[in-house]
Each structure stands twice: as structure tokens, then as C-alpha cells.
Amino acid sequence: MLFNRLKPCLITLSALSVLSTPFSASAQDADKWRSGVSAIGELKYPEGFERFAYVNPDAPKGGTLRLSANGTFDTLNLLLDKGEAANGLGLVYDTLMVSSEEELSASYGLLAEAVSFPDDISKAVFRLRKEAKWADGQPVTPEDVVFSFEKTKELSTSKANYYAHVSKAEVTGEREVTFTFDEANNKELPQIVGQLAIVPKHWWEGTGPDGKQRDISRVTLEPVMGSGPYKVASVSSGSTLTYELRDDYWGKDLNVNVGQNNFKTISYSFFTDQDVEFQAFKSGTIDFRQEQSSSRWVKQYDFPAVKDGRITKEELPNVYRAAGIMQAFVPNQRREKFQNPNMRKALNYAFDFEDLNKTLAFGQFQRINSFFMGSELASSGLPTGRELEILTELKDQVPPEVFTAEYQNPVAGDPGKQRTNLLEAKKLMELAGYELRGNKMVNAQTGKQLDIELLIDSVGMERTVTPFIQNLKRIGVNATLRTVDASQYANRVRSFDFDMIVKLWGTSASPGNEQADYWGSAAADRPGSGNVGGIKNPAVDALVRKVIFAPNRDEQVAAARALDRVLLANAYVVPQFYRGFSSIAYWNTLVHPKELPEYGLGFPNAWWSASAGK
């Protein structure tokens, strides 16, 4: 499973999406229906449970939560790849199932009261709740689910990749919809279908206030309608957006919603300048902030509101307990200059993590050394046991050092070590067919200087990546940094129009189909896929399938660790850094449950306004 809308240096506060386990059930056998599924161990909550343990069932309703977002938006249509979708649209739409932030991999019914599938997991049947309704009072139907699935695959390349093995959805009963899979025994498929945001077919096929036919294939700023707890109350294109709690929300008394959805209004203000965004928080016009800058967290949170207790600062590991993280510089192997692994290894020697950590992050970072950093899926030492057996099956297709050497990043941090690393980078570039002529690193055959443009979409990231650019220049590379707006950046990344970017991948405790999108050969040629580096490697493909089709947890962990080693050994990325905790700050206008969930912050759903009920 994967995180939602991950961005570099940012871990979302929502709970991880999770993987389900197979159970023997059929649509005809009512006693086989289940209201919740779990991948690791038993479900914490039995059928008919009262509420999640971490919520406050007496939390008052009311008040306003004012949030900020970096960038802009130009659409409220969340199904599209094109355009910049507004933050918070998940407040408007319900999904078939919802994850628990207290469990590593568990989900419970929301729009669907139950799910069922056969032993071979060739299909999954969801039974909708009869009380589920859209904001206009019409019932949520299987036809809506089919429409949502078909339009999602049609209009979003990234989601089409994610749901690639879900071949069709069809109405199979008054309140039942059946998803058919094109391969058996892929135990993740029922769960990822449960994540699907369901949109109203009749609304999208109707006419808008202007009397014109709506078009779900286009961007829109018309307030969209959903079945979720909030509605869009006001929109100012690219600037502000306000959601309002629905008094008539059909699911407000469901066990998975008790003690949640407490704010009367939730607003987003959008900022293109991160310093201006921070000033808005300091002034009290924004209530909550997740700080991404380590230097700001250390040096700039000494203003009066922090000192006198009106603002609380917390460092919380909760979200990271269930996350495997890789954040890295990613060279685009679709460009010939990055196809030689020696060139990619050279780039790692040019990155001085230790100096950056000392001067910019005040020692708060760890160097990433795994594609599943921070989780039990991360490889370490030399392969043994089942992991070694899996790798041995592919011995002729993987780098030999996978078996003989533990992966280690270069270490710098002082002028001497940095010089040594840059000399090693120069040697590796020479092995890749380049040579230093005068002060320029050039292609030995063509004489053309090596050009590398690093593309980013955040001015705030420039301080972090500029030292890397400067080190590349020191060995003769014509390295440049280009900062573009969010829309241009998204379009260029979708079409793989870049030399190098910064990318963050997040994986839940139960990796699955998203791994094929991240690293699989088929995804390398699909615009909008997660395989931004253009990896095409049959050994990686084989290991991804072992992860997806692992029959048990031990096999899944062993396969993931083997995959990790092969990805690292091929130097597909230059690993960056990891903190392992969320840095949050919030005004005393907000209250959160005394005990936050083990694997999340319960934000914003389980928090409430200090002024509500007064």
C-alpha cells in the first residue's frame, strides 16, 4: 500500500492505507461477509464495535480549523491527473472502507457494510449500506461505484496504473458491486478497491447552475457534491477554500466516525511563498503547521506565542512507525547520460549529507540507506535465510555485491573527506565514458560537457539542494537548478521531461501493487507513473511480483528486503535524509485526544476546537 499525495520532505498526517488478508467468503454466504480485514495479525475491533479507542466520543462539534497549503489549485475534480486538485477534497467523499490509525494494516467498512471474496481472490464483492446517501439525499448505489471506478481509470494515468489488475466493476445486486481481477491470489486487490473515492454518477451527468452539462473529464471550480461529512462552502480560485460540516451527513453516527469530524468549518489558504506561509501561522491566521524545515524548527520557533504557551510544539513519531520511506535525488534513466550505473554512483559521491545535516538541519537528519527506511522491510547486513534464497534464484541478474557487501552511502562532512569523495566521483564518471578536460567533465567521444538540470517546485528546497549542485560543478559538471511553479512541475514530471528531480516514495507496512508502479518496467513508459527514474530491470520485476504475491508475512518481508538490496545496488537514486518524526505546532484554539493513535495523529478528524460547545 502507499501513502496519499506524498511530497518531498512531507509525510501526510492521514493514516496509512492498508492491505487486507484473504478470507473464504462468497456473495451468497451471508455468514462469510466481514466488516473489517487485516493483513498482520487479528483485527483489534470486532464486528459491531462502538468506536475507535483513541477518539473522544464527547468531543464538541463546532469552531473553525484554519489550515495552509503550499502552492495553488485550479480544480475540485479529484479524479484527474491534469490540473492542481485542491487540498481537503477527501472531506467531501467517502470511500468503501476506511483505515484504522491504531493498527498497522486494518480497515473497516464505511460506504460498504461488508466485503467478501473467494479463496483464490479472483474477485471482491462489496455490499453497500442501505443508509448511505449523497448530500442531495439520493442513495449511494452500485452504479455510482462502477461509474467512479471506470472514470478513475479513464481519467487518471496514475490511478489506472494502481488499479491495473482490476479488470472490471459491475452491479451484481441491489446493493452489491463486484470487482473482477485479472490475476488470482493478489491479496491486496480487494483492499485497494476499498480505497476508491466514490463520486455521484447522477451529479456528474447532470447540469450545473449555468445550465450546461457537467464534464467529469475537465477541471472545475464548481463546488462538487459527495457523500462525505463536509461540503464545499466557498471557493476562491487558487487562494482559499472552505469546507463546512454537514448536519445531515448520513454516516455521522457510524462507529468509524464517532468522535470525529468535529470542526464546523475547515478552511485552506494557499501560499506560494513558504516564508509568508510561516508568518501567517505566527500571526494567528493559521491554526496548525507541520514544519518541514529543520533549521526553522530549531531557530525560528522562539516567538512570544510559543514562549507563553499559546502555541504548542510537538515531535511525534506516530506516522513514521508504519512507514517505509525513500526520499532521494532521482536521475532520469531515459536520458542516456544516466544509464550507466557508474554515473549514478558518482552522483552519490557528490552529495555531502553530513555537511548539510550539520549546517542546515542541526543534526536532526539520518541518512537514508533503504527504500523502506524506518520499517522492518529495510535490508541490513548481508542477506541470510529466505532472503538469500530469493536473491540466489536471481544470481545472474543482480549485482554481485548484493551477496558480499552491505550497502553503505559515502561519508563526508569535512573538507578532506569531501575531496576524497569528489575524486571517487570523477573516477566513476570516467568509467561511465566521461573525462575531465580542463575544468569541464565531457563525454570522451563527443567532447560535450555533462549537463545536469535539477528540477524542483519549491523555493524553500533550494537551500537543501544547492550544495549538491555546487559539488557537481567542482568536478566539471554543468549543473543547474531550475525552480518552476507547481503546475509546470507536475506536467514535466508526468511526462518525464527532466534530468533529475527530488522524489519521496512512501510504503505502508504491507507493500503491494504500488511497488510495480514505483519500480516495474511496464510503469517506466507510462506517463504519470511512480517510476519516475525509468527503471527497467527484469530482476526488479521478479522481486516486485514476489512482494505482491507473498503467501504470508515472512515471505513478504524477505521479498521486500531482497528488492531493497537490488534497488540500492543498482544506484537508481541518491538517497537523501530522514527524520523519523513529524514536527507539528498548533495554537491553543485546537485540542487533540489525550492519547493519539499509534500510527497516526488523528488529524484533523479526531481533533476539535477549544471554543466549541462554549
Side-chain angles (χ1 to χ4, degrees):
M1 286 296 167
L2 72 167
F3 284 107
N4 296 322
R5 298 179 65 84
L6 277 170
K7 297 182 180 180
C9 302
L10 173 62
I11 297 297
T12 58
L13 299 182
S14 60
L16 286 171
S17 298
V18 293
L19 176 69
S20 63
T21 54
F23 49 82
S24 179
S26 67
Q28 290 74 32
D29 298 326
D31 61 333
K32 298 295 185 179
W33 290 96
R34 306 293 176 91
S35 60
V37 289
S38 175
I40 303 173
E42 298 295 322
L43 285 169
K44 177 174 181 177
Y45 297 102
E47 185 170 352
F49 68 95
E50 183 180 350
R51 60 177 174 84
F52 291 136
Y54 67 90
V55 304
N56 175 9
D58 300 317
K61 307 286 186 181
T64 296
L65 172 62
R66 299 168 301 175
L67 300 174
S68 64
N70 187 250
T72 186
F73 72 96
D74 60 10
T75 184
L76 302 182
N77 183 353
L78 56 59
L79 267 61
L80 303 181
D81 275 342
K82 62 185 178 182
E84 287 294 314
N87 293 58
L89 287 171
L91 299 167
V92 176
Y93 295 107
D94 278 336
T95 51
L96 294 170
M97 305 192 82
V98 63
S99 60
S100 163
E101 294 187 61
E102 297 174 279
E103 300 166 81
L104 271 177
S105 56
S107 57
Y108 299 86
L110 184 53
L111 282 174
E113 65 182 9
V115 61
S116 167
F117 44 85
D119 288 337
D120 66 355
I121 323 174
S122 56
K123 65 179 181 179
V125 185
F126 289 85
R127 187 174 68 204
L128 301 180
R129 297 183 191 272
K130 61 182 178 182
E131 65 270 30
K133 290 182 172 55
W134 300 108
D136 64 1
Q138 292 199 36
V140 179
T141 66
E143 287 80 6
D144 291 315
V145 178
V146 172
F147 174 81
S148 301
F149 171 74
E150 292 177 346
K151 290 301 180 183
T152 295
K153 288 193 71 172
E154 174 188 337
L155 301 174
S156 170
T157 301
S158 59
K159 294 186 179 70
N161 294 339
Y162 192 49
Y163 294 114
H165 294 295
V166 186
S167 56
K168 66 178 179 179
E170 56 188 335
V171 177
T172 52
E174 182 181 359
R175 289 189 287 120
E176 291 179 14
V177 58
T178 297
F179 293 88
T180 302
F181 310 136
D182 67 2
E183 55 185 10
N185 299 310
N186 185 334
K187 57 183 178 291
E188 189 187 34
L189 291 177
Q191 177 58 38
I192 67 172
V193 169
Q195 300 171 348
L196 183 71
I198 309 303
V199 302
K201 182 175 186 287
H202 69 281
W203 190 87
W204 281 105
E205 292 183 343
T207 56
D210 58 2
K212 296 182 180 179
Q213 179 74 36
R214 294 188 180 97
D215 185 352
I216 198 170
S217 68
R218 300 175 64 87
V219 298
T220 181
L221 289 174
E222 179 187 355
V224 291
M225 186 188 75
S227 63
Y230 287 83
K231 64 182 179 181
V232 178
S234 64
V235 183
S236 178
S237 178
S239 176
T240 59
L241 181 65
T242 301
Y243 299 95
E244 184 176 297
L245 185 65
R246 290 175 45 210
D247 293 331
D248 59 349
Y249 173 46
W250 72 271
K252 61 184 177 182
D253 296 323
L254 282 181
N255 51 8
V256 295
N257 287 328
V258 169
Q260 305 196 70
N261 306 314
N262 300 315
F263 295 100
K264 179 63 176 176
T265 60
I266 298 178
S267 66
Y268 284 88
S269 296
F270 291 77
F271 298 85
T272 55
D273 187 307
Q274 292 186 15
D275 290 329
V276 175
E277 183 180 3
F278 179 59
Q279 292 302 319
F281 173 71
K282 285 179 62 176
S283 70
T285 59
I286 300 298
D287 297 315
F288 178 95
R289 180 173 176 82
Q290 185 179 11
E291 184 56 67
Q292 304 305 320
S293 169
S294 293
S295 60
R296 182 182 287 129
W297 184 248
V298 172
K299 297 177 66 176
Q300 298 185 37
Y301 279 78
D302 58 354
F303 51 94
V306 175
K307 291 181 177 179
D308 63 25
R310 286 176 292 153
I311 286 179
T312 298
K313 289 177 60 182
E314 293 186 278
E315 295 180 350
L316 301 170
N318 303 46
V319 173
Y320 287 83
R321 291 174 180 145
I325 301 297
M326 168 56 80
Q327 179 171 294
F329 296 107
V330 186
N332 185 357
Q333 294 173 64
R334 301 169 188 85
R335 308 276 168 96
E336 184 178 359
K337 56 193 169 188
F338 297 125
Q339 290 174 3
N340 190 304
N342 288 309
M343 174 60 72
R344 302 194 299 270
K345 291 177 182 178
L347 297 176
N348 200 358
Y349 277 92
F351 178 50
D352 190 341
F353 161 77
E354 287 75 20
D355 185 66
L356 180 149
N357 190 34
K358 178 175 61 179
T359 59
L360 295 182
F362 298 90
Q364 293 191 57
F365 289 147
Q366 303 173 51
R367 184 78 193 272
I368 289 178
N369 60 6
S370 168
F371 280 77
F372 303 101
M373 182 75 174
S375 79
E376 70 168 328
L377 306 173
S379 60
S380 63
L382 295 178
T384 59
R386 179 57 184 151
E387 183 185 350
L388 178 59
E389 292 175 357
I390 291 172
L391 289 166
T392 302
E393 294 171 9
L394 301 166
K395 188 171 184 177
D396 295 336
Q397 301 179 56
V398 302
E401 59 265 33
V402 164
F403 300 94
T404 60
E406 180 180 12
Y407 176 81
Q408 298 284 345
N409 286 303
V411 176
D414 63 54
K417 291 178 180 177
Q418 187 182 77
R419 281 194 298 272
T420 299
N421 284 348
L422 291 179
L423 285 173
E424 183 63 24
K426 173 179 171 292
K427 292 178 183 177
L428 287 165
M429 287 185 177
E430 290 172 350
L431 291 174
Y434 288 79
E435 62 185 28
L436 196 62
R437 295 180 185 172
N439 61 353
K440 294 182 179 180
M441 183 66 67
V442 301
N443 185 297
Q445 292 185 344
T446 67
K448 182 180 179 181
Q449 186 177 14
L450 176 61
D451 297 311
I452 298 178
E453 179 186 84
L454 181 57
L455 184 71
I456 60 175
D457 66 346
S458 168
V459 173
M461 197 182 295
E462 291 179 357
R463 294 171 65 248
T464 301
V465 301
T466 295
F468 180 49
I469 294 292
Q470 293 172 340
N471 278 350
L472 288 170
K473 288 181 176 180
R474 289 178 62 185
I475 52 175
V477 179
N478 181 28
T480 57
L481 177 63
R482 177 173 297 224
T483 306
V484 298
D485 62 64
S487 179
Q488 183 181 351
Y489 180 83
N491 289 331
R492 288 188 61 175
V493 172
R494 285 173 192 147
S495 60
F496 308 128
D497 179 20
F498 61 88
D499 278 349
M500 191 183 303
I501 60 171
V502 176
K503 173 72 174 177
L504 185 151
W505 292 274
T507 302
S508 80
S510 295
N513 292 273
E514 81 288 342
Q515 299 298 302
D517 184 61
Y518 290 170
W519 328 118
S521 298
D525 295 325
R526 291 200 300 254
S529 81
N531 189 353
V532 294
I535 297 171
K536 288 187 175 182
N537 184 321
V540 170
D541 293 337
L543 291 168
V544 164
R545 289 190 65 81
K546 283 187 176 294
V547 171
I548 294 173
F549 291 97
N552 54 59
R553 179 62 176 174
D554 289 343
E555 183 76 5
Q556 184 184 54
V557 171
R561 290 176 178 173
L563 172 63
D564 188 28
R565 291 182 191 278
V566 173
L567 292 171
L568 290 168
N570 280 284
Y572 290 129
V573 303
V574 178
Q576 288 190 325
F577 37 75
Y578 171 91
R579 273 196 292 180
F581 59 85
S582 302
S583 302
I584 66 169
Y586 53 93
W587 283 82
N588 57 9
T589 55
L590 305 183
V591 184
H592 67 60
K594 183 177 180 181
E595 297 293 334
L596 292 173
E598 182 73 7
Y599 303 108
L601 303 185
F603 185 84
N605 290 355
W607 293 43
W608 63 92
S609 170
S611 64
K614 294 182 179 179

